[in-house]
Amino acid sequence: MSSTDPVADDTDVTPRGPFEPAGVEWTRVSDRLVPVRLLLTALWLGLPALVCAVLAVLLTPWLWIPVAVLVVPLVWALLVIPRQVRALGYAERDDDLLIVKGILFRQLVVVPYGRMQFVDVNAGPLARRFGIATVQLHTAAASSDAEIPGLAPQEAERLRDRLTARGEAKLAGL
């Protein structure tokens, strides 16, 4: 059985494209990221849609238009979010960290350890409730910052310490 998902099939060592480098073993993020993203999407799109629906019933039927405008992306997001989370992964190599994400628009971010300025671990109230955290990598250029969401707190702490140590080692070599 062949898979196009680099995170799902990491045993093959032959390169299959720019998003699947040879010999890379991908680590998936936690599935607990799915309910966090679903809840946030429901709050941002579902709650205003519900308010507009109530007002449409009470005030004017014209408010069904914003309800439709909000419900369509809500349903789309609810269908896509689990697959998006399954597509998230990272891999530690000797000289850099790889982060892969995206389904339709795929992205592979390569962060050299020597370019890292510092590493953050963040967890908002909802993320803490679901037991996940985000590791954020900061480089000298703000546009090249990267993050890995949906990590277990122990894994986030381990990754932060490991990336910091590797970054210091690479900087010391200059």
Side-chain angles (χ1 to χ4, degrees):
M1 186 169 119
S2 177
S3 171
T4 58
D5 187 0
V7 175
D9 186 14
D10 55 8
T11 57
D12 193 5
V13 293
T14 58
R16 292 177 288 178
F19 300 104
E20 302 171 34
V24 172
E25 185 173 326
W26 296 101
T27 303
R28 290 187 51 201
V29 300
S30 173
D31 289 337
R32 290 179 279 185
L33 182 61
V34 173
V36 170
R37 288 192 171 178
L38 290 175
L39 281 172
L40 289 174
T41 302
L43 282 174
W44 284 104
L45 295 173
L47 190 60
L50 181 64
V51 170
C52 287
V54 169
L55 292 175
V57 170
L58 296 176
L59 300 176
T60 177
W62 286 101
L63 288 174
W64 286 112
I65 294 172
V67 171
V69 168
L70 291 169
V71 167
V72 170
L74 175 66
V75 171
W76 176 254
L78 295 179
L79 295 173
V80 169
I81 284 173
R83 179 66 180 97
Q84 283 180 328
V85 169
R86 284 194 306 270
L88 276 168
Y90 66 95
E92 296 176 63
R93 295 197 304 186
D94 292 338
D95 296 326
D96 49 32
L97 178 76
L98 304 177
I99 303 169
V100 66
K101 57 185 167 184
I103 304 168
L104 186 61
F105 299 99
R106 300 178 76 186
Q107 183 179 20
L108 176 66
V109 178
V110 180
V111 182
Y113 297 129
R115 300 283 179 152
M116 283 190 253
Q117 298 291 311
F118 60 98
V119 180
D120 276 345
V121 176
N122 303 315
L126 193 58
R128 285 195 312 269
R129 176 80 172 124
F130 282 88
I132 58 174
T134 298
V135 171
Q136 187 161 15
L137 309 150
H138 298 276
T139 62
S143 62
S144 62
D145 290 351
E147 68 177 23
I148 306 170
L151 296 175
Q154 300 84 9
E155 175 63 11
E157 183 179 341
R158 183 202 68 80
L159 191 59
R160 179 200 63 207
D161 294 343
R162 187 173 174 106
L163 293 175
T164 302
R166 285 185 168 189
E168 289 173 356
K170 292 293 178 184
L171 284 177
L174 291 177

